[in-house]
Amino acid sequence: LRDGMIGRSGEFYCGTSGENSRGIDKGHDEAVVEMRKRKRRARDIAFILSQIPKLPQVLGAARDALPIAQDLDAVEAALKGRRESTLRMRAWQTLGAGELRVRESLTESFQRADGSTGERQIESMRIYARIGGAAILNPLNRPLAPVISKAIERLAEVATDFSDVDLGKLEDTERSRVAKLVEREQGKLRETLEKMGERQAFLSPITINTLRTWGEMPNAEMRCFFVRDGETLYVGRDQNGKIRVPVGRNVDLSIPRLPSRA
């Protein structure tokens, strides 16, 4: 049927069947897009409403964590700056996996070409112990405190500017921006708090004592000296060549926990 023709049933068709089909498809697509926008809008509003009441607790935890992160950063910076230049210790390459290895010589039997047997010495590595927190030795680490400071700044802005706002009246782009910001910054905080726990584990008495015992063994993969005396960490290839690394008083404080996401 063409434009303006009457069909057998007496109905009047305003256009070709192809044009009608395209019109229906376009209308359907627009409806789908609008439905997705409504769902996204409802999801963003629900998320923001669920998180804003928690922001005071989140900000409190972040502010409590900041001085701990600053002291951990200071210890890491001191170790990084002097570990290889002064001590000539390849600590990350040796300890990065958290494994303290020792060399062992084993006697192995073998058969010669003439059929006789003999023995030979072979050297292997055995794991003496495992330690936590070796990530503090990674030279590519970035400071933790700036991440927390930035998160505090951004989340405090949301807590101040949007606590009494009618979220339904915001532009979709602004509402989406706020939802993504809150989710992103809380995610960064959780990740940073986990990293702080790892660094604390390295500075714990059990780890330092294990390192000291291992480092003094004649067959240790790397000879080293680690001793912590209160707010001072001594590190060196041996006791005579040790350096002093200050350990801030906040390093051993309990790391705050963020409220659950739900």
Side-chain angles (χ1 to χ4, degrees), residues 176-194:
S176 179
R177 182 191 72 83
V178 172
K180 290 177 180 178
L181 184 150
V182 171
E183 185 174 18
R184 181 181 68 248
E185 295 304 323
Q186 289 196 67
K188 288 182 179 179
L189 278 176
R190 293 182 191 280
E191 182 181 353
T192 301
L193 294 178
E194 289 180 6

Side-chain angles (χ1 to χ4, degrees), residues 8-97:
R8 292 180 180 178
S9 63
E11 295 177 342
F12 184 80
Y13 292 87
C14 296
T16 63
S17 58
E19 290 172 344
N20 286 332
S21 176
R22 286 193 296 272
I24 294 172
D25 290 343
K26 182 179 180 181
H28 176 265
D29 292 343
E30 290 176 348
V32 169
V33 170
E34 184 58 32
M35 180 185 66
R36 290 174 177 171
K37 286 182 178 180
R38 287 198 302 270
K39 287 185 176 180
R40 189 183 305 114
R41 188 180 303 123
R43 184 172 63 247
D44 288 344
I45 291 174
F47 176 75
I48 297 172
L49 288 176
S50 71
Q51 297 304 309
I52 283 182
K54 299 178 183 179
L55 288 183
Q57 185 178 351
V58 171
L59 289 167
R63 291 183 177 116
D64 289 342
L66 185 57
I68 305 174
Q70 290 169 335
D71 281 357
L72 288 169
D73 284 345
V75 172
E76 184 170 351
L79 287 172
K80 183 184 300 183
R82 304 171 69 180
R83 186 170 58 236
E84 295 187 7
S85 59
T86 303
L87 303 176
R88 298 191 300 279
M89 291 169 58
R90 297 173 60 82
W92 172 245
Q93 292 87 335
T94 306
L95 305 176

